[in-house]
Structure formats: structure tokens, C-alpha cells
Amino acid sequence: MQKIRQVSAFSLLLGAALGAQAQSGPTVFGVVDTGVVSTRVGAARTTSMDSGIILGSRVGLRGNEDLGGGTQALYTLEMGLNNDTGALGQGGLGFGRQAFVGLSNPRFGRLTMGRHYSVLHTTLSAYTEGGLIWGHALNYFRDGTVLRLDNSLRYESPDFAGLSFKLMKAFGEQPGSSGNVVNPSFDYRNGKLKVGASFMQRHKTAANTERYTTVGGSYDFGPFSASLAYYTLRDDLPNATSLARNAYEVSAAVPLGTNVLWLAYGEARGRARADTGASSLSLRYDYVLSKRTRLYTGYSIIRNESSASFTVNSASNAGPAVAAGNRVAQAIAGVSHSF
């Protein structure tokens, strides 16, 4: 019943925004992505229809207002959808993908408040070819709980001769500092070369602080582009329950006319517990019908060590549960349309 109310509320908001378009100029945008998925976990195989495989299905509103002197007010409200069933994404949140408001100025940068993608996630996405989606080892091996942050401030600087930085602060709104997050990053671009790094510290509980680091680089070689990203997670938990690990990924995008072949390989290694690593190899082919529509097909495999249970996550949903030590293989075929 709650989900029905949320959808109804969004329908009223969308209608009001469209009716006021001449005055306030909101832009409606979105993605509808659906495919057929065949997954083999160990000896068991399942076939399903899934939403948001290579791009998370969504619908949203965004806009801005000129305040003079180059300063603008801006906002984004973005709802995730599972269009194979019509259900809301992100656990049923009304605007679970992004919901923020703020100010921007070309001289001083951009500051927004609300629910955002973490800066750590932005850095990982920048140094995995095509973004951190299905087929990327780091989409399987990272900690997905820091993908987005509620109650957060996010600052993005202007470009200073190729150098830019971001800073994010999330308020846990719990007694003490539990849940608080600090997350800076920097990027440097020089011609076809781009490098960057990000660090995140999250006070998950009074007894456990998690520290995440990622560094990456990418280069456009002309016939293809390639990226390398390295990721670490450290925590204060005892070794028996620690999630500490290192992971890396090498990925490439190879244009074939207007179409694209994507390749990615990566490995994870547990730092506190034995046999908690894995490796992943993926390839995907996109047949581009237009600027907004593409067909895609791909294959991804994860080989888990005896105490590891990584799974194949899509762009917007967690993959199937995997018993420790099982191998996971998944084939996909679908269509993605943006508007």
C-alpha cells in the first residue's frame, strides 16, 4: 500500500511539473532497460527477465534557475524503477537514486544537499570503461552499501588547468558519530590521459570505522580506450568477520563502427580471512540503433574461492545469492532506451 501511495504521489508531482513547464522549465528524463538473463550458480540454472541490467531503469525531474552573476539554483529528483514488474527500485524509496538541491557557479563550483551518489562511487565509475555496471569486476567486489549517501553535502570544484576535486560529508544523524561519512577525491586530465583517487571514511558503528580507497587511470588509445582501477576496504572488525579486501579491474572499450565491444577482468583478495578472493571475466557487445536506443548481449563469469560468495550484480540490482565457493556464470540479452 505504501508503494502505491508513493507512485501516486510521483504521478501528481510529474503532472504538476509538466503543467508548469513554461514557467519553471523542468526536464523529464529517464531510462527503460530490460533483458533476459540466464544464470548458472554451481550446477543450478535459472532464466529470468530483469530490469536495469546495463543502465538502471529510472524516471526523474531536473532543472535550474538563473540567479544572476553566473549563479544558478538546481535540483534533481530521480526515481529508480524495476520495469519488469513496475515496482520501485532502491527498496521502494520514492526518489531512491538521487534527490538533491543546491547552487552552482562556474567560478566557485557546485554545492548540493540531499541524497547523492558517493564521491567514491563516482571515482570508481570514472575508471571503469562504461561506468560501474553489469560486467565490471569492481561492481561485484566493492561494498555496495556506500553507493549512495543520505543526508549529505556534496561539493564539486571548477576545473583548474585539468585538476578538479570533490568533497562529500554525510551526517549519520545517530548518537555520537555513528554513520558519519567523509569522502574527498581528485581527478586530473591531460589530453587523452585521466587519473584520479578517492578516500572514504565511514563510522559505521561506535566500534567499527570503515576506510575505502580507490585510485584509477584511463587512456584513449584511438582504436580503443582502457582503464585501470584499484580498490581497498579496511575495517576494525575481528579477522573472523572482517570484510577487508583489495580488488582491481582492467577494462576496455573497443568501437566497431557505431557499435561497441566491452571487456573487463578483475580480481579480489581478502585481507583478513583465507580463501575469500575471486576473479571475474566479462564481455559485452552493444548494437547501437540510435543515440538513445541500443541492443546488448554479454557473458560474465565469477570464480569464487572456497570461502567467497561474490555474485553478478546488474547496474541497479543485486545478483542471485551464492553459496561460498560456487562459480557464477551469466548470459544476458536486452534493450536499453533513454529519454
Side-chain angles (χ1 to χ4, degrees), residues 104-317:
S104 70
N105 183 286
R107 292 180 57 194
F108 303 111
R110 170 171 139 156
L111 178 66
T112 52
M113 299 178 289
R115 177 175 168 87
H116 303 83
Y117 287 103
S118 70
V119 169
L120 182 81
H121 172 77
T122 302
T123 302
L124 281 169
S125 295
Y127 301 106
T128 49
E129 291 292 320
L132 201 62
I133 57 175
W134 183 96
H136 285 289
L138 288 180
N139 189 35
Y140 309 155
F141 300 153
R142 62 172 177 146
D143 178 0
T145 65
V146 290
L147 169 62
R148 299 178 180 90
L149 297 175
D150 293 338
N151 308 308
S152 57
L153 288 167
R154 177 171 168 142
Y155 172 75
E156 301 179 15
S157 79
D159 185 284
F160 300 103
L163 180 66
S164 62
F165 65 91
K166 300 178 180 68
L167 178 62
M168 196 165 186
K169 168 68 177 177
F171 302 92
E173 302 188 359
Q174 301 295 323
S177 61
S178 295
N180 287 359
V181 175
V182 176
N183 182 197
S185 74
F186 82 88
D187 294 279
Y188 176 71
R189 182 187 295 272
N190 186 349
K192 297 181 178 181
L193 174 68
K194 184 172 68 172
V195 295
S198 182
F199 172 78
M200 174 186 286
Q201 179 171 285
R202 175 172 68 166
H203 295 288
K204 192 169 185 179
T205 67
N208 181 29
T209 296
E210 295 172 325
R211 295 166 292 278
Y212 304 81
T213 303
T214 186
V215 295
S218 64
Y219 192 84
D220 185 351
F221 292 92
F224 68 96
S225 58
S227 294
L228 172 64
Y230 184 76
Y231 164 91
T232 69
L233 164 60
R234 300 291 183 267
D235 57 35
D236 298 327
L237 297 175
N239 284 355
T241 57
S242 174
L243 299 176
R245 59 183 176 267
N246 299 341
Y248 77 89
E249 178 184 318
V250 179
S251 57
V254 184
L256 301 172
T258 59
N259 306 317
V260 186
L261 176 66
W262 308 88
L263 304 143
Y265 176 80
E267 296 182 355
R269 290 289 176 263
R271 295 286 299 177
R273 294 179 291 136
D275 302 317
T276 55
S279 63
S280 171
L281 176 66
S282 305
L283 60 87
R284 191 183 95 223
Y285 181 73
D286 289 5
Y287 185 80
V288 179
L289 298 174
S290 71
K291 290 183 179 180
R292 297 189 297 161
T293 305
R294 63 182 59 204
L295 306 177
Y296 58 84
T297 186
Y299 182 80
S300 187
I301 186 169
I302 298 174
R303 293 181 173 87
N304 283 305
E305 293 181 353
S306 59
S307 297
S309 54
F310 294 106
T311 189
V312 177
N313 302 316
S314 70
S316 57
N317 293 296

